[in-house]
Amino acid sequence: MTCTGAPLRIQLLGPIRAWRHGEEVALGSPKQRAVLSLLASRAGEVVSGETITNALWGSDTPQTATNGVHTYVARLRRALEPGRGSRVASTVLSSEAGGYCLRLDPADVDATLFVERHGHARRSREGGSAETTLRLYEDALALWRGEAYAGVPGPFAATEGVRLRDLRLTAVEEWASVMLATGGYAEAVDTLSRAAVEEPLREKVRWLLMLALYHAGRQAHALAVYAETRQLLRRELGIEPGTELQDLHRRILAGQRELRLPGGSSSPGSRQGPGGAVPVPAQLPPVARGFTGRDSELAHLEGLLDDDTVQGGTPVIVVDGPAGVGKSALVLELAHRLAHRFPDGQLYVDLCGNGLRGRPLSASDALLHLLTSLGADSNRIPRDPAGRATLFRSLLYGKKTLVVLDDALSVDQLRPLIPRGASCVVATSRQRFAGLAARDGARTVSVRPLAVPEAAQLLTTLSGGRLVGHPEAARRLAALCGGLPLALRITAEGLLANSGVPLGTLVEQYTAESGRLDRLTVGDDALASVRDAFETSYQTLSPEAARMFRFLGLRKDGPITVPVAASLADTDHTTARRLLGLLVAHHFLEEYGPRFRLHDLIGIYAAECAEREPMLSRRAALARLGETDQDPTHPAAPPHAAPRPLLPRPADAVAPGSGAAKEPGEAYAGVFRRAAVLRRAAFRKWEDPVRPGDFTDLTARPTDLTAR
């Protein structure tokens, strides 16, 4: 979004301050400043109300949060545009669809300008003169006026403050390296001494400080820094200094004249395990056989990693999607492709969020696994989760390590496993983690089922030649599997296991909805069952959301709107919209503007879940839905539809030719069958055009497959 508006400058690298036309603006309460700091950090972007409330309160959001945000925004508008009339739209802080936008040039926010200048200085190190490089670093560091986001409450400010502080210390280290290379030892000692006090466990700072002291003729002081560092690391983390620090200490003791900056892939912070050097971890599982497609998704993920690397901080990407969509396969393919970028190793933890491989790991258990993999002494690993998280971040600090966290269940399980510095985290989950994006700057990427050509190609590749020369059958089976890689792989195994059965017969067997989920199952293996995969996701829903999902199973073949969902679940529109949002976040529903749809296989599963509701509840839900569908002004009704007759009451229903009233259950059953037929006919006339990757045009029964 192109931003225009009145001249405005905002300071985030210190106490939050703002200037309009050179005059400072009174910004009000701490939470009001927190709102401004979030909007300023994303100047020119629309920030949703949900993101703002998560940034201010996290998981402890009060009921008054939404009204509070409206109040803070209104007060900020008055402060930033004191002469604006009450009926004149704001040109600085505007309301947009879905949130608010601070119309400001990002270069007028000091934190954004610091990141930009730091990038220029880094590039100058590769080809510019030392004098120019030092000036660029100093211009970047001169923007700081204290702790970033000082005095601002909320989880977003805390996280961003840590990220920017880490980036500033990285800039200090890089500046000091250039300064030492030019012989500016005394200047480096002063700056590095302050940095060592600020971050006492940062080994690279202490390595540079020891080198600067030694070259400045202060050998005793350099040795004292090492002794202090060793004592601190033993007491706080139970570890010895890294090999670079130990090597520098030995060289200083020996009085060597030529001590150079570290080169190659080694860096200060390398660890010594109890039995010597710890092997570089290489824990990635193998990629899935026959991995197909996903080129655009892989390119997008690589681009996100490149962008976050340039911006600084620890890149965190969460790939989410429905059960069986191939999230783990995609992330492992990405990890193997990028392994060469992470010379300090690749860590992998299966967090078991779906419960099929055992109980979900707690963050503390996952940290124990990670710390052991990094060579930490098991006798010195802290028992408390906070201590383990601190040790984990310390061991990975300054290293380029890829951390793959598969099948995360919750944000609380994932957040302690995010290190600091140059490492990268890629995780998978069956639900969206909006809070992790708002508080921790994580990038979330949703994965959809494979498109028809890719799904058919995967099925053909895995089925051992059974579909070679039968592209139409491959496309039909791919459609019946809904493009879900798990279903496609199970189907391919079924084709191989039934090599004596004609292909047309097998295709027909998969066509029947009533037994399709039974066929998409490998006996005695819960990991190879589409129904079990859906069931474990269903078990994570709240009781309210699970109830809504069961009622939606009564409408699995048609589009769903908020009024339709409210009618089925017998609730108000606000509650229905919230529950539909939860189902979207858990990938049980796909959202298309005001309408929602169930994926084909999830719809079959939802219909099964609907059977868990009592018969009378289902009948009442369908009766309410019938009344909703009859309203031609209702969003769920077909355009220009004439009102249909009301459904007859059970007492009005008469058995054909007998004149006798039917039993209520029998009467309702016939009525609802007829109503369902009418609704399906109406939906076919007005449904949206088929989208790319949609399989609805391929699931109709073909007439030319039975002979194959």
Side-chain angles (χ1 to χ4, degrees):
M1 178 183 296
T2 302
C3 291
T4 59
L8 182 68
R9 290 190 303 109
I10 295 180
Q11 172 182 293
L12 302 179
L13 303 180
I16 305 300
R17 302 173 69 185
W19 293 267
R20 177 178 168 81
H21 297 299
E23 295 186 4
E24 187 164 1
V25 177
L27 297 178
S29 66
K31 277 200 163 47
Q32 198 165 299
R33 293 169 181 262
V35 173
L36 179 64
S37 66
L38 171 61
L39 295 173
S41 70
R42 302 183 181 183
E45 300 178 13
V46 176
V47 182
S48 69
E50 181 184 5
T51 298
I52 296 176
T53 56
N54 283 329
L56 266 63
W57 291 282
S59 58
D60 298 325
T61 304
Q63 293 182 348
T64 58
T66 301
N67 291 334
V69 170
H70 291 324
T71 300
Y72 298 142
V73 169
R75 290 175 179 172
L76 284 172
R77 284 172 175 158
R78 288 196 294 269
L80 298 175
E81 298 178 279
R84 181 179 60 87
S86 59
R87 296 187 178 182
V88 179
S90 174
T91 60
V92 176
L93 180 49
S94 62
S95 296
E96 304 288 343
Y100 304 97
C101 175
L102 184 63
R103 295 181 173 274
L104 177 68
D105 187 340
D108 289 328
V109 180
D110 60 352
T112 305
L113 187 59
F114 166 70
V115 173
E116 181 182 334
R117 290 182 177 179
H118 181 215
H120 292 329
R122 277 183 161 176
R123 288 188 288 274
S124 178
R125 290 183 68 185
E126 300 175 0
S129 66
E131 181 180 356
T132 300
T133 301
L134 288 172
R135 178 178 56 78
L136 290 172
Y137 274 111
E138 289 161 2
D139 287 346
L141 292 168
L143 294 169
W144 285 77
R145 296 290 185 270
E147 286 293 324
Y149 292 83
V152 176
F156 171 79
T159 302
E160 274 295 283
V162 170
R163 183 184 74 85
L164 289 168
R165 178 189 183 195
D166 182 73
L167 193 59
R168 179 175 65 83
L169 288 172
T170 298
V172 168
E173 293 168 348
E174 293 167 353
W175 169 87
S177 297
V178 179
M179 183 63 75
L180 291 176
T182 62
Y185 307 122
E187 296 92 331
V189 165
D190 183 52
T191 301
L192 290 169
S193 296
R194 291 196 299 270
V197 171
E198 181 181 349
E199 192 73 29
L201 296 177
R202 197 172 175 112
E203 289 190 49
K204 188 172 183 179
V205 167
R206 291 182 171 261
W207 192 97
L208 291 166
L209 178 58
M210 288 174 60
L211 187 64
L213 287 168
Y214 179 67
H215 280 301
R218 301 167 61 181
Q219 180 181 14
H221 288 89
L223 295 173
V225 169
Y226 179 81
E228 179 188 17
T229 303
R230 186 183 185 196
Q231 181 181 12
L232 186 65
L233 290 172
R234 281 181 164 183
R235 183 179 70 247
E236 297 295 329
L237 303 177
I239 59 176
E240 290 292 325
T243 54
E244 290 285 350
L245 271 177
Q246 294 183 30
D247 182 64
L248 180 60
H249 178 244
R250 286 192 296 269
R251 290 171 179 268
I252 291 175
L253 282 174
Q256 292 186 12
R257 303 295 298 174
E258 292 294 330
L259 296 180
R260 299 180 179 179
L261 294 171
S265 62
S266 62
S267 62
S270 301
R271 299 290 172 195
Q272 285 285 102
V278 179
V280 174
Q283 300 180 347
L284 296 178
V287 295
R289 183 176 70 88
F291 183 85
T292 301
R294 303 298 193 194
D295 292 336
S296 60
E297 290 92 336
L298 288 167
H300 178 56
L301 290 169
E302 288 191 44
L304 291 179
L305 287 176
D306 292 339
D307 180 57
D308 280 356
T309 301
V310 171
Q311 292 296 323
T314 302
V316 179
I317 296 176
V318 181
V319 176
D320 58 59
V325 81
K327 302 178 293 296
S328 298
L330 173 62
V331 164
L332 288 176
E333 178 72 18
L334 174 73
H336 280 281
R337 291 189 183 191
L338 302 183
H340 65 280
R341 295 193 190 181
F342 301 94
D344 294 311
Q346 305 89 42
L347 297 166
Y348 175 86
V349 181
D350 183 355
L351 297 175
C352 301
N354 61 38
L356 290 174
R357 292 178 292 272
R359 68 175 182 84
L361 263 65
S362 66
S364 183
D365 291 340
L367 284 167
L368 178 61
H369 171 84
L370 290 166
L371 291 171
T372 303
S373 301
L374 292 170
D377 186 348
S378 58
N379 295 323
R380 291 178 176 264
I381 294 177
R383 292 181 178 272
D384 62 296
R388 290 180 176 181
T390 300
L391 178 57
F392 175 62
R393 290 192 293 267
S394 299
L395 290 178
L396 282 192
Y397 184 78
K399 292 186 175 182
K400 295 201 69 173
T401 305
L402 177 62
V403 183
V404 177
L405 304 171
D406 199 9
D407 196 19
L409 178 62
S410 67
V411 172
D412 293 336
Q413 184 190 36
L414 197 59
R415 185 172 280 127
L417 310 181
I418 300 175
R420 292 169 54 188
S423 293
C424 169
V425 175
V426 182
T428 70
S429 177
R430 294 185 180 183
Q431 55 184 294
R432 295 176 188 168
F433 291 151
L436 197 69
R439 290 184 52 182
D440 304 88
R443 307 292 189 96
T444 57
V445 177
S446 296
V447 180
R448 298 191 63 188
L450 291 170
V452 174
E454 295 174 340
Q457 180 184 347
L458 177 61
L459 194 57
T460 302
T461 300
L462 297 176
S463 59
R466 288 221 63 188
L467 291 172
V468 174
H470 301 283
E472 189 175 349
R475 288 170 58 85
R476 175 83 191 291
L477 285 171
L480 293 171
C481 293
L484 288 181
L486 174 60
L488 292 166
R489 291 179 179 276
I490 296 172
T491 300
E493 176 60 28
L495 293 176
L496 288 172
N498 295 277
S499 57
V501 180
L503 180 59
T505 302
L506 289 175
V507 172
E508 290 305 310
Q509 290 175 353
Y510 280 95
T511 300
E513 284 190 359
S514 59
R516 195 179 306 168
L517 292 184
D518 293 328
R519 292 194 171 278
L520 296 177
T521 299
V522 176
D524 300 325
D525 187 353
L527 294 176
S529 167
V530 172
R531 181 185 282 111
D532 287 347
F534 292 160
E535 177 68 21
T536 54
S537 293
Y538 171 81
Q539 293 298 331
T540 65
L541 295 174
S542 66
E544 270 189 310
R547 178 178 178 273
M548 174 63 79
F549 179 69
R550 292 194 297 272
F551 279 114
L552 294 183
L554 300 173
R555 175 73 169 228
K556 70 180 184 66
D557 292 325
I560 299 164
T561 62
V562 171
V564 163
S567 296
L568 283 169
D570 195 18
T571 187
D572 59 87
H573 287 196
T574 301
T575 301
R577 183 66 184 85
R578 176 176 60 82
L579 295 177
L580 291 175
L582 287 174
L583 293 175
V584 169
H586 283 76
H587 293 286
F588 279 103
L589 278 180
E590 296 175 346
E591 183 175 8
Y592 300 95
R595 298 176 188 168
F596 302 82
R597 284 188 176 89
L598 289 161
H599 178 276
D600 291 346
L601 295 182
I602 294 179
I604 296 174
Y605 173 72
E608 292 183 359
C609 290
E611 296 295 325
R612 304 178 189 182
E613 285 291 318
M615 176 63 75
L616 290 178
S617 296
R618 282 180 273 153
R619 290 173 177 170
L622 287 172
R624 291 191 299 269
L625 180 61
E627 295 175 1
T628 299
D629 283 343
Q630 290 160 17
D631 182 359
T633 66
H634 197 281
H640 312 297
R644 292 195 298 271
L646 292 175
L647 296 176
R649 297 187 305 275
D652 299 331
V654 178
S658 67
K662 292 185 179 180
E663 289 295 320
E666 183 182 359
Y668 268 123
V671 166
F672 291 130
R673 279 196 297 270
R674 292 193 296 276
V677 170
L678 290 173
R679 279 196 298 275
R680 283 197 294 270
F683 294 149
R684 282 196 292 271
K685 294 180 181 178
W686 69 277
E687 270 190 316
D688 290 342
V690 176
R691 306 179 310 279
D694 195 355
F695 302 102
T696 55
D697 60 332
L698 296 174
T699 54
R701 178 188 179 99
T703 58
D704 57 347
L705 287 177
T706 54
R708 296 185 179 180

